[in-house]
Amino acid sequence: EMGGEPKPNIGIVSREYSQFKKEMLPAQFGFYEKACNFSESLIKIAPKKDIVEGLEESIDVCHLNITPTGVMSLSILGPLAFILTGSLVSFILIQDMFFVIFFLFFGLAMMSALKKLPDFLANSWRMKASNQMVLCVFYTVTYMRHTSNLENAIDFASGNLSPPLSLDMKKILWDVETQKYESIKDSLDHYLDTWKKYNREFIEAMHLIEGSLYEG
């Protein structure tokens, strides 16, 4: 029914996930990663403990290779550089305090925006992924009807979905291959935990699929 013999139980290659991520993530994500990591290399500004967990969750959702410290460092250094450069140039060329004050207030506003940028990116990612969840369940169930293998079913879904949910599915497999989790079930359950506050129906559907493995 699926066309051809069932393929063996194989894991996704780490290199494949990395390449797929590089190709599929928006260009602005790469620029933001570089800016955060560069700022952190200059000076490490640790965020308050009460926001670290939220930042880590948002960073993980968007598959960004940055840290909460990098986010906080950029939110301070970026606006400071903007304020100093803009104020200095405007004062030298125009010699008007209005533009100096403008750059000052705009830079201060940038600090708050940059601190919340990972949360904004994560919410945007969730909205796009939510629109693909019905298809994700469909592809997973379709493969499971043919071959009762959860890992291959997730791989099948990741190959037929488009970003951003396809990247999430590949990350589930990648975490198993890199031994972050012992099994595909552990990795999938960890991913589903990130949707507890946003889409319980998707979690219940995937748990039913997991439960089918234990049915006669």
Side-chain angles (χ1 to χ4, degrees):
E1 291 175 341
M2 300 299 298
E5 294 296 321
K7 65 180 181 178
N9 183 22
I10 57 174
I12 193 167
V13 179
S14 304
R15 184 172 57 256
E16 179 184 345
Y17 165 76
S18 301
Q19 183 65 25
F20 186 79
K21 174 190 168 184
K22 183 178 180 180
E23 293 174 354
M24 293 297 105
L25 279 182
Q28 60 267 29
F29 277 34
F31 175 79
Y32 181 64
E33 278 186 349
K34 292 177 181 177
C36 286
N37 292 328
F38 177 73
S39 299
E40 186 177 1
S41 68
L42 293 178
I43 183 172
K44 297 182 184 295
I45 303 175
K48 295 180 180 179
K49 293 182 179 180
D50 57 336
I51 66 172
V52 169
E53 185 176 350
L55 282 174
E56 288 178 341
E57 181 181 349
S58 297
I59 290 169
D60 189 49
V61 166
C62 298
H63 303 265
L64 293 171
N65 292 324
I66 58 177
T67 65
T69 300
V71 173
M72 188 60 59
S73 298
L74 177 63
S75 70
I76 301 297
L77 295 181
L80 283 178
F82 176 80
I83 292 171
L84 292 174
T85 303
S87 299
L88 185 62
V89 171
S90 61
F91 185 76
I92 293 174
L93 298 180
I94 306 175
Q95 295 185 350
D96 190 339
M97 287 300 296
F98 171 79
F99 289 99
V100 176
I101 296 173
F102 169 79
F103 281 108
L104 175 62
F105 280 99
F106 194 82
L108 292 175
M110 283 178 59
M111 288 185 181
S112 178
L114 287 173
K115 287 178 185 177
K116 297 178 180 178
L117 185 56
D119 296 332
F120 173 79
L121 294 176
N123 288 333
S124 176
W125 188 284
R126 291 188 185 99
M127 289 180 63
K128 293 177 182 178
S130 294
N131 295 330
Q132 300 173 295
M133 286 181 172
V134 174
L135 269 178
C136 178
V137 173
F138 170 75
Y139 285 131
T140 306
V141 170
T142 300
Y143 192 94
M144 293 281 283
R145 284 173 62 89
H146 176 254
T147 304
S148 186
N149 185 293
L150 183 59
E151 185 172 0
N152 286 341
I154 296 295
D155 191 18
F156 177 75
S158 72
N160 286 277
L161 290 167
S162 58
L165 196 54
S166 58
L167 189 57
D168 289 349
M169 295 296 105
K170 286 184 179 291
K171 181 64 161 55
I172 291 171
L173 296 168
W174 186 68
D175 284 343
V176 177
E177 192 200 341
T178 56
Q179 298 182 353
K180 183 177 181 180
Y181 300 103
E182 293 184 356
S183 66
I184 188 67
K185 184 180 183 303
D186 292 340
S187 184
L188 178 59
D189 287 344
H190 172 77
Y191 172 71
L192 293 176
D193 282 342
T194 65
W195 287 98
K196 277 186 177 180
K197 296 183 291 184
Y198 307 98
N199 197 322
R200 287 191 171 273
E201 291 78 10
F202 177 64
I203 296 174
E204 292 171 1
M206 296 304 289
H207 281 165
L208 285 172
I209 294 172
E210 287 180 350
S212 69
L213 294 168
Y214 305 102
E215 298 290 336

